[in-house]
Amino acid sequence: MGSRARELAGATPATRDRYVDLLRVASLAAVVLGHWLMAAVTPDGVGNLLAVVPALQPLTWLLQVMPVFFFVGGFSHALSYRSLLRKRPGGSDDSVYSAFLRARLQRLLRPTTVFVLVWGAAALLVQLLGGGGGLTGVTLRMVTQPLWFIGIYLAMVAFTPPLLRLHERYGWGAFAALAGAAAAVDVLRFAAGVPYVEFLNFAFVWLAVHQLGFLRADGSVRRPALLAGAGLAAACALVAFGPYPLSMVGMPGEKVSNMAPPTLALLAHGLWLVGAVELLRAPAARLLERPRVWRTVVAANGVAMTAFLWHLTAMFGVYGALLALDVPLPAPASAAWWAQVPLRIACAAALTAALVAAFRTFERPAAPKAPGHPAASGGGPLAALGATLCLLGVLGLSMVGFNGLLDGRTALLIAIPVSAPAAVAMTLGGWLLVERAGRGRGAR
């Protein structure tokens, strides 16, 4: 792994924006660390530290960095799609779209599919043996929750070509349209009480943040201080005078969450974060010119998705080991609990590293095809169908989990009940369709 990172780092072209790579891995690392820290596990169940100590909720305005990852995704998707168009000047929109979708989803869905298969087999075995209670049941239910992020990211990849065309025509106007749609959804939700309308903001809010990445790719984010200030002021006003909670992550038992579904307040929070990280761009770029620092970023990016998928597995593994060894779990937020935090995080990091070593090979991209290699006829619609099935599958699995795999347990995906077996089938079937759409038939 180290030699490969050195090789890739040494081959980095001078034109590459290294800061984007740093933001990608740093945002995922912040999410992982936040999950490890917020989990308040006791022998009776799992709680949230922010609910135990509400005074810590303002920290989410710094540590809820998922908008940064989606912003970086927009930047990368714009460059990738345009590069593919240049390499396939004679290709149809259909073939370019299917090739783009497969290329972008490969490193995302291969490790995700392996994660789903491994945990699905483990859950089936545990429940056939009559297990699934206590911390084991909680683990089976919760290890899939981060998959919501994969589902949203799938949608962003799928919508990149049409939204990129809108961006190229309207620029900031396309972002404004998405932001306006998000605001309209919240008005209908909170003022008019329209049922289910809030779920539209899973698209409008996150796609608006994604659109900021397009603007960054074209050099249109020229006043980051203004963007950060406007976003922060808007978020403060919405929380102070609107129906929005203080926390920028979901809290147990709350009637309104800024995250699920996302709200206009979370979009304002995203603006503030994007402006803030852009202000740090110049000093970070100088730091990334150091070979050792850049090699570290390259190595981390090569396993970031694998680490993200397995970090909750590692966390629950640590807590399970503590319970098995009869190590007392202090009351969350007590002095003894805080004293135990560094040890728990160190153990979770070590176990995550071991899981990454076991599964990192599935995150490596396949060898690229020749630029002119044609995709299968009808590849675009087939790829879109596959991406849709994957999106529904991983979102459904994030909600239902693996506990109750054999007893027909379901969860509502918007208004549709989804079981774990159905979610797994949609995920695997969608991935196979994406793979088939991206394979060429060769020249006739």
Side-chain angles (χ1 to χ4, degrees), residues 40-431:
V41 179
T42 67
D44 299 323
V46 180
N48 190 315
L49 178 65
L50 298 177
V52 178
V53 189
L56 295 176
Q57 292 183 18
L59 291 177
T60 62
W61 289 51
L62 293 174
L63 299 178
Q64 169 48 291
V65 294
M66 197 56 84
V68 174
F69 188 89
F70 292 137
F71 162 68
V72 168
F75 176 90
S76 300
H77 296 157
L79 267 59
S80 176
Y81 188 70
R82 287 168 172 170
S83 174
L84 197 59
L85 286 173
R86 289 193 299 269
K87 291 177 181 178
R88 299 189 177 197
S92 67
D93 290 345
D94 180 84
S95 66
V96 172
Y97 178 72
S98 60
F100 166 77
L101 201 59
R102 182 174 183 265
R104 298 306 296 177
L105 295 188
Q106 192 171 55
R107 285 189 64 182
L108 186 70
L109 285 181
R110 286 179 69 206
T112 301
T113 302
V114 171
F115 173 83
V116 168
L117 290 174
V118 170
W119 261 112
L124 183 61
L125 179 62
V126 166
Q127 291 169 60
L128 285 174
L129 295 175
L135 184 62
T136 301
V138 172
T139 303
L140 292 176
R141 187 177 74 250
M142 296 189 68
V143 289
T144 62
Q145 286 188 357
L147 291 180
W148 74 265
F149 148 78
I150 306 289
I152 299 299
Y153 202 77
L154 284 170
M156 292 180 176
V157 174
F159 282 112
T160 287
L163 288 179
L164 187 57
R165 285 193 289 269
L166 286 176
H167 158 74
E168 290 168 347
R169 182 170 183 178
Y170 298 108
W172 279 96
F175 166 79
L178 288 168
V185 166
D186 275 11
V187 170
L188 293 173
R189 174 187 181 183
F190 295 116
V194 177
Y196 299 118
V197 70
E198 63 268 24
F199 292 103
L200 291 173
N201 268 351
F202 275 114
F204 293 139
V205 169
W206 290 123
L207 288 175
V209 176
H210 190 249
Q211 206 78 8
L212 289 173
F214 295 167
L215 292 161
R216 165 72 153 74
D218 287 347
S220 298
V221 184
R222 299 188 183 94
R223 297 181 179 179
L226 178 61
L227 190 65
L232 185 58
C236 289
L238 290 168
V239 169
F241 304 109
Y244 306 100
L246 174 63
S247 175
M248 289 297 165
V249 300
M251 300 295 297
E254 63 183 357
K255 293 183 179 180
V256 176
S257 167
N258 281 321
M259 274 290 294
T263 64
L264 186 62
L266 185 66
L267 177 55
H269 171 69
L271 288 174
W272 130 250
L273 282 179
V274 167
V277 298
E278 281 297 286
L279 287 171
L280 298 174
R281 181 178 175 183
R286 290 192 293 270
L287 179 65
L288 289 167
E289 290 175 358
R290 300 179 181 180
R292 183 175 297 179
V293 174
W294 177 234
R295 283 198 301 270
T296 301
V297 172
V298 170
N301 264 294
V303 298
M305 189 53 58
T306 303
F308 176 79
L309 286 166
W310 292 96
H311 77 280
L312 285 186
T313 302
M315 183 193 77
F316 283 116
V318 169
Y319 277 109
L322 292 175
L323 290 173
L325 295 172
D326 291 326
V327 176
L329 296 180
S334 64
W337 187 91
W338 285 109
Q340 205 182 67
V341 164
L343 176 62
R344 288 200 307 268
I345 290 181
C347 291
L351 186 51
T352 300
L355 290 167
V356 165
F359 295 107
R360 70 186 183 207
T361 185
F362 299 103
E363 195 169 345
R364 294 176 183 170
K369 297 179 180 178
H373 190 72
S377 177
L382 196 64
L385 175 61
T388 301
L389 285 175
C390 286
L391 183 152
L392 294 175
V394 295
L395 284 181
L397 200 53
S398 75
M399 300 178 69
V400 71
F402 282 115
N403 199 17
L405 187 66
L406 298 178
D407 58 15
R409 181 176 179 267
T410 63
L412 283 179
L413 180 59
I414 304 179
I416 304 172
V418 177
S419 66
V424 171
M426 285 190 289
T427 302
L428 298 181
W431 170 235

